[in-house]
Amino acid sequence: MNMEQVVGLYNYWVVIFLMMTGFYMVIARRNLMKSIIGLNIFQTSVFLLYITMGKIHGGTAPIVPPRIVQNHAHDGHADGETAGHAASHAAEVAHATGKSVEEVIEAGARMSGEVDGIIYSNPLPSVLMLTAIVVGIATTALALSLIVRIREDYGTIDEEKILEMDRLP
């Protein structure tokens, strides 16, 4: 493995560093606040990992270019159907637009040919990470509220001191 390949995996090195930093903070620290911060760092590294895997070099956002949408609307498919759906519903579209079924199928084939050359990045990891961020914020808020309550009851957020107080009669 040469140096260019190692540098090319820069995102993964950052993910590994953040993941191990967060993991160390959770394992080595006895302070509950530092453990929550470690969990959040670990969680951020997972977000970066999934988003990095979803990005394709040279890919663009999965948005249909405006020129294809305009061609689609001019061909009588303004309701947002894809080229595949337009072919399956050719009779309905032909009836609505006054064109022949062959013309509608030809327009669908023309549109699908315009889309073939575009490389799209996968949107699924980003969408899943948006959901994970919301869940992470809710989990962090709950953990912080529990830490506040523990501090009120025990007077400390040090895990060893709390366990020691629980062992006393």
Side-chain angles (χ1 to χ4, degrees):
M1 186 177 244
N2 62 21
M3 191 59 163
E4 288 179 18
Q5 290 174 327
V6 172
V7 174
L9 301 173
Y10 173 74
N11 292 350
Y12 296 104
W13 290 112
V14 171
V15 166
I16 290 169
F17 175 76
L18 286 174
M19 193 173 282
M20 291 302 108
T21 302
F23 184 66
Y24 174 76
M25 287 181 71
V26 171
I27 298 300
R29 305 289 180 211
R30 295 296 182 188
N31 186 314
L32 295 176
M33 282 296 291
K34 290 179 182 177
S35 294
I36 297 301
I37 292 170
L39 283 173
N40 282 323
I41 291 172
F42 191 92
Q43 184 180 36
T44 301
S45 71
V46 173
F47 296 161
L48 290 174
L49 175 68
Y50 277 95
I51 291 170
T52 298
M53 290 187 330
K55 177 65 179 142
I56 296 174
H57 183 69
T60 184
I63 300 170
V64 178
R67 63 181 171 79
I68 294 176
V69 172
Q70 289 172 350
N71 291 347
H72 192 60
H74 290 301
D75 289 337
H77 304 98
D79 60 351
E81 292 182 56
T82 62
H85 287 126
S88 66
H89 298 288
E92 294 174 18
V93 174
H95 177 71
T97 60
K99 296 180 179 181
S100 70
V101 175
E102 291 79 21
E103 289 174 328
V104 172
I105 292 173
E106 167 98 18
R110 226 179 26 253
M111 283 178 18
S112 66
E114 292 175 10
V115 178
D116 284 343
I118 301 172
I119 299 172
Y120 292 114
S121 291
N122 189 358
L124 189 60
S126 298
V127 172
L128 291 174
M129 290 307 104
L130 285 174
T131 305
I133 289 169
V134 172
V135 171
I137 290 171
T139 305
T140 301
L142 177 66
L144 291 174
S145 66
L146 288 173
I147 290 173
V148 168
R149 186 73 179 117
I150 289 170
R151 170 102 169 130
E152 288 173 359
D153 284 351
Y154 291 95
T156 184
I157 55 172
D158 186 72
E159 186 178 345
E160 289 181 14
K161 291 179 182 176
I162 292 169
L163 291 173
E164 201 174 285
M165 287 180 193
D166 279 344
R167 288 188 203 117
L168 294 175

